[in-house]
Amino acid sequence: MSAPGKTKFQIDLRRHLREHYVNENLTHLICEIAEASKYIIHSIRTGDLGVAGTSNLYGEDQLALDVLSDRILRKRLDHSRVVANIMSEEADQIIPISPDCNGKYSVAFDPLDGSSLVDVNLAVGTIVSIFEGCDLLQPGRNQVAAMYILYGPRTTLVYSVGKGVHEFGMNTLMEYTLLRENITIGPQANLYAPGGLRNLYTPGVEAYVRTLEERGVKLRYSGGFVPDINQVLLKGKGIFFYPHLKDQPKGKLRLLFELSPMAYLIEQAGGAASDGCRRILDIQPTEIHERSPVFIGCKEDVAMAEEFICKHDLQRDSAE
Ligand code: AFP
């Protein structure tokens, strides 16, 4: 839906949000996050790739870029006047901004997912999940918006407020202008992005991968969640998974910061996201840094994963 007389390429992010009747506070919040990405881009292009000398609660060394990107986003959200609470993947607890929940939003974000890929010049991204009010520990289906910014050969921004998924590109003036509207993905994949070590796959996951390969589905995996999901979304024929592993029953990826926002976006595009048995967006988080296995992308291949995992793998485990 482009404004009459305007080509879609002249529609910037704020105009697009207004055309979709998104309320002023949420429009302001999404645009502030978009503004913050410009400073993150600058830090990626010019910043120190070294270790910050600190570690997050997972015990992972925080790269200078992780810490810097986290600070940039926190500052923007703190000054936005529309945020109640924030939670960063780089922090170990929720950061209260305002005690007033009315008309405000709570934001969970991974400021620079895949940051370890920057020093080998691979694409990385910022992932954002937005809830109304003060509560962040909600099932992902309650999100009012989700978005990501992908810092690749081009900088792009993808968002949804529940009215379709839309992609914007950053132009030479560093404005985000509309590239694709109401993106949809097909029912079956022709590429797959398998996370984790293959020798730690359970028999069900192993059988699932063999089935995909026998169908001629090609392996495409960068190690960055944002570019890998972006490829599934824009190619429209993909499945990403980071399954439960023999030594990591909950997988690696975080529910609040990574899986819920991406599941929201992929479902808005007509895809699906599951932990192997349950819809990702129906999972009630029990703690902020909860991890979950994930199969996300084309609906038929997510359903097939559930056949292999939920009906065979997990039942076999429980029978042992
Ligand atoms: P980092 O943010 O620690 O670099 O991890 C990135 C990530 O969480 C996600 O972006 C990838 O999909 C996943 O890890 C890749 O994990 P493996 O390297 O184990 O495949």
Side-chain angles (χ1 to χ4, degrees):
M1 171 181 63
S2 300
K6 286 273 183 194
T7 67
K8 71 175 183 177
F9 296 101
Q10 294 169 349
I11 303 290
D12 68 14
L13 179 60
R14 189 179 299 276
R15 180 192 295 272
H16 195 266
L17 288 161
R18 288 195 172 139
E19 278 185 0
H20 284 70
Y21 309 107
V22 178
N23 78 54
E24 273 308 308
N25 282 359
L26 186 53
T27 294
H28 175 63
L29 176 57
I30 290 172
C31 290
E32 282 298 285
I33 293 165
E35 279 303 303
S37 71
K38 298 176 185 177
Y39 296 87
I40 294 176
I41 293 164
H42 180 70
S43 65
I44 291 169
R45 306 277 186 252
T46 60
D48 168 14
L49 300 181
V51 174
T54 52
S55 61
N56 61 21
L57 85 157
Y58 310 104
E60 297 158 343
D61 283 342
Q62 285 178 306
L63 297 171
L65 285 181
D66 278 346
V67 174
L68 191 51
S69 305
D70 180 53
R71 284 205 191 124
I72 290 166
L73 264 170
R74 283 194 204 192
K75 190 173 170 191
R76 270 281 162 172
L77 295 173
D78 190 1
H79 296 169
S80 69
R81 303 184 317 284
V82 294
V83 168
N85 293 307
I86 61 177
M87 183 61 216
S88 166
E89 193 236 17
E90 295 301 323
D92 52 13
Q93 57 192 1
I94 289 177
I95 301 153
I97 304 292
S98 158
D100 172 17
C101 304
N102 296 325
K104 289 194 167 53
Y105 297 91
S106 287
V107 186
F109 59 90
D110 185 346
L112 200 63
D113 183 84
S115 51
S116 55
L117 299 170
V118 172
D119 54 4
V120 291
N121 206 18
L122 284 176
V124 292
T126 297
I127 311 171
V128 183
S129 170
I130 301 174
F131 289 94
E132 214 159 19
C134 288
D135 184 6
L136 278 164
L137 267 180
Q138 301 186 55
R141 64 173 179 266
N142 294 347
Q143 292 171 96
V144 292
M147 63 194 286
Y148 63 79
I149 297 105
L150 175 55
Y151 313 106
R154 292 185 298 126
T155 300
T156 55
L157 179 150
V158 168
Y159 91 90
S160 178
V161 290
K163 302 174 182 173
V165 186
H166 317 291
E167 184 201 24
F168 293 74
M170 180 175 277
N171 65 19
T172 48
L173 301 175
M174 294 196 88
E175 298 158 335
Y176 284 108
T177 56
L178 184 64
L179 293 178
R180 283 176 249 212
E181 216 174 13
N182 301 314
I183 301 166
T184 56
I185 67 177
Q188 210 176 57
N190 65 11
L191 61 89
Y192 75 100
L197 287 175
R198 186 98 183 239
N199 64 326
L200 294 176
Y201 282 4
T202 57
V205 177
E206 191 53 54
Y208 178 63
V209 171
R210 269 201 312 279
T211 305
L212 292 173
E213 293 199 338
E214 282 157 11
R215 198 171 83 206
V217 180
K218 289 172 292 186
L219 192 158
R220 290 287 183 276
Y221 189 73
S222 80
F225 190 45
V226 179
D228 287 342
I229 291 293
N230 189 63
Q231 179 170 223
V232 165
L233 180 69
L234 298 187
K235 289 275 178 73
K237 294 181 173 179
I239 180 86
F240 173 100
F241 51 92
Y242 205 110
H244 54 294
L245 303 172
K246 288 173 186 165
D247 66 343
Q248 283 178 281
K250 300 282 272 180
K252 173 182 182 182
L253 299 182
R254 287 84 171 186
L255 183 60
L256 200 67
F257 310 106
E258 293 162 321
L259 303 186
S260 277
M262 291 308 199
Y264 182 88
L265 293 167
I266 290 292
E267 283 202 5
Q268 280 291 313
S274 168
D275 69 352
C277 283
R278 295 172 298 172
R279 181 185 179 222
I280 289 287
L281 293 183
D282 286 341
I283 298 175
Q284 169 61 56
T286 52
E287 58 99 10
I288 289 290
H289 291 277
E290 184 162 336
R291 298 172 192 262
S292 170
V294 65
F295 299 80
I296 180 171
C298 296
K299 239 179 192 157
E300 289 178 13
D301 290 307
V302 172
M304 186 171 79
E306 291 185 333
E307 285 290 319
F308 279 100
I309 310 306
C310 205
K311 294 193 171 61
H312 301 289
D313 227 9
L314 300 187
Q315 276 172 358
R316 191 187 57 76
D317 287 353
S318 58
E320 277 179 351

